[in-house]
Amino acid sequence: MKTNTQQWSQTDQKIAQEALGKAYARETEALVAEINQKASQITQINDIWALNDYLNSKRYHIDGKYYSNDTISMFVLAQLVKEKWLSLDELSGLTPSTRAKVAALAKMS
Amino acid sequence: MKTNTQQWSQTDQKIAQEALGKAYARETEALVAEINQKASQITQINDIWALNDYLNSKRYHIDGKYYSNDTISMFVLAQLVKEKWLSLDELSGLTPSTRAKVAALAKMS
């Protein structure tokens, strides 16, 4: 979970990393609860393969968001705001122009 | 779930298909029970990814055994006997030479 060190201030970078950490904890905790619930309803093999497909998809998207390379983290923050894993309030410490970009991206995406 | 129609008699083919069906039902029912149990113990995201890896592996092996092409079904029967999803008694209707091959393969594999 790194931020783009070339464009962001050190403060921005720290805030963004903390925000990503919070979003990751929320999203993965929600997934644990969801999988517990889904798994309790499994009664046949096709349910298992459907769960498997779902987990493959979730893993792909979660890895893509939280473990992607440096250059897309502003987009990732915007995506997390859009998905409601983060609120814009939690990014209030960012440089105003950076926060404004994230907010604008979250609306556009 | 097809058997090798070029080498097997029609009776062998029917018996082998029925045996495969039985083994499939047993193995997938056992997997459903196992996944219900494993899933009930999930408390964190790493447990979910471990389950995901396990399901990917299981699917690969199950698809490989039950949905492979015609030419390996004698090996598949032998594998299922070795894995105890089938007993040799359930293959008693096979042509003796075919059953003997399956039994020999099951011991060797």
Side-chain angles (χ1 to χ4, degrees), chain A residues 36 39 49 52-53 55-56 59, chain B residues 36 39 49 52-53 56 59:
Chain A
N36 281 333
W49 301 151
N52 188 214
D53 288 338
L55 291 180
N56 281 332
R59 194 175 203 166
Chain B
N36 281 332
W49 301 151
N52 188 213
D53 289 338
N56 281 331
R59 194 174 202 166

Side-chain angles (χ1 to χ4, degrees), chain A residues 24 28 31-32 35-36 39-40 42-45 48-53 55-56 58-59 62-63, chain B residues 24 28 31-32 35-36 39-40 42-45 48-53 55-56 58-59 62-63:
Chain A
Y24 180 79
T28 54
L31 183 60
V32 167
I35 296 307
N36 281 333
S40 69
I42 285 173
T43 59
Q44 53 183 325
I45 192 69
I48 288 186
W49 301 151
L51 177 69
N52 188 214
D53 288 338
L55 291 180
N56 281 332
K58 276 285 177 185
R59 194 175 203 166
I62 286 177
D63 284 355
Chain B
Y24 180 79
T28 56
L31 183 60
V32 167
I35 296 307
N36 281 332
S40 69
I42 286 174
T43 59
Q44 53 183 329
I45 193 68
I48 288 186
W49 301 151
L51 177 69
N52 188 213
D53 289 338
L55 291 180
N56 281 331
K58 276 285 178 185
R59 194 174 202 166
I62 286 176
D63 283 357

